[in-house]
Amino acid sequence: MTSSIVVLTPVGSATEIFCSAVNPLRVIPWSRALKHEKIVEVLVLQDCQGARDAWGHLPLLIAAISPKLNSIPPERQMPSQPKPRLNLRIVLLAFAMFSAVATLANTFWVMFNIQKQELVESALDGNRAYATRIADALEGVLSSDLDRLKYSSTVVSTTFSNRQLLAVEARRLLEQDNSFNSVLVTDAAGIIVASAPERLQLNGKSLQGRQPLERRSAMISNAFQSITGNLVVFVSHPVFDANGQYLGLVGGTIRLEQQNTLRALMDLNRR
């Protein structure tokens, strides 16, 4: 228990006001005095008519209490509250909590990166397998187209001077299946001498790309814009006579933006 000064007033509310106002002087009401074993002084405050009158007596109360407090020995005074200090236990606890949070965050970050890398690698493997499957399928289709043109080149080599038979062979190639969107036969100078379908009116025009004429070998061109304005790939095979003289070529166009065997294959393997 601590030493205190007890104040008695007729009005209880006034007592509480005094206790709040002069709290540093350790003034307590009489109702709480029984909880203290050591009472230095009991002051009786008379003529208190309420809280306003009690505040008027505050200077007198302070003047009466101050000498009493000064006379209290230090060992009997209320000890001051010690200031909290940072000790080793708190430091270690804070460090442990920080380490745990940092370790947890690092674990989540590592797991996130690992899973992200696995997802990327899985997507790349899937796309690589898909591209390989499409490439193999396209190679098979284009190789089959080259075989058809090779056979046709042996047919037209014996009747190359007959434009009507060349037109018949071009029409047969076009209608044989859905591989080509158009078929044409050119002479050694690159002039189209027969074509199908006839509605395109390609006869008499020059072949747009000169590379097949210069190479004089079976080839598949890169995609380019054709005479009719379509994005096409040109598959061609040279035509030689019995003496090995170069007569021209027979070729077919595959329109990449229209329906054909190649486009149907792409649609079939679409993911």
Side-chain angles (χ1 to χ4, degrees), residues 112-156:
F112 170 77
N113 287 329
I114 292 176
Q115 291 182 356
K116 179 181 178 181
Q117 186 65 25
E118 290 179 352
L119 289 175
V120 170
E121 292 178 357
S122 177
L124 290 176
D125 291 340
N127 291 335
R128 189 180 300 109
Y130 173 73
T132 301
R133 185 173 69 250
I134 291 295
D136 293 340
L138 291 179
E139 184 178 1
V141 171
L142 295 176
S143 297
S144 178
D145 293 339
L146 283 175
D147 291 338
R148 293 189 186 91
L149 293 176
K150 180 179 180 180
Y151 173 78
S152 182
S153 67
T154 60
V155 173
V156 300

Side-chain angles (χ1 to χ4, degrees), residues 89-249:
R89 180 181 299 178
I90 297 177
V91 173
L92 292 177
L93 180 61
F95 180 76
M97 293 181 62
F98 174 78
S99 300
V101 173
T103 302
L104 184 62
N106 183 66
T107 302
F108 281 127
W109 176 252
V110 172
M111 292 177 59
F112 170 77
N113 287 329
I114 292 176
Q115 291 182 356
K116 179 181 178 181
Q117 186 65 25
E118 290 179 352
L119 289 175
V120 170
E121 292 178 357
S122 177
L124 290 176
D125 291 340
N127 291 335
R128 189 180 300 109
Y130 173 73
T132 301
R133 185 173 69 250
I134 291 295
D136 293 340
L138 291 179
E139 184 178 1
V141 171
L142 295 176
S143 297
S144 178
D145 293 339
L146 283 175
D147 291 338
R148 293 189 186 91
L149 293 176
K150 180 179 180 180
Y151 173 78
S152 182
S153 67
T154 60
V155 173
V156 300
S157 63
T158 58
T159 58
F160 200 79
S161 58
N162 190 330
R163 300 291 187 265
Q164 185 176 0
L165 293 180
L166 294 180
V168 171
E169 180 61 20
R171 191 179 305 109
R172 184 192 70 81
L173 273 175
L174 179 65
E175 296 175 355
Q176 181 178 0
D177 53 24
N178 201 26
S179 297
F180 302 112
N181 295 104
S182 64
V183 177
L184 54 88
V185 180
T186 70
D187 58 16
I191 303 301
I192 300 175
V193 296
S195 64
E198 290 80 2
R199 58 183 175 79
L200 297 179
Q201 299 181 356
L202 298 177
N203 294 349
K205 297 181 180 180
S206 297
L207 189 65
Q208 188 173 357
R210 308 298 297 181
Q211 189 176 7
L213 300 173
E214 296 172 355
R215 292 182 56 176
R216 296 185 178 183
S217 62
M219 66 168 292
I220 301 173
S221 71
N222 295 325
F224 64 94
Q225 204 79 14
S226 67
I227 299 175
T228 56
N230 298 307
L231 184 63
V232 301
V233 172
F234 186 61
V235 185
S236 62
H237 196 281
V239 179
F240 296 95
D241 61 10
N243 299 323
Q245 182 180 358
Y246 182 69
L247 300 179
L249 61 82

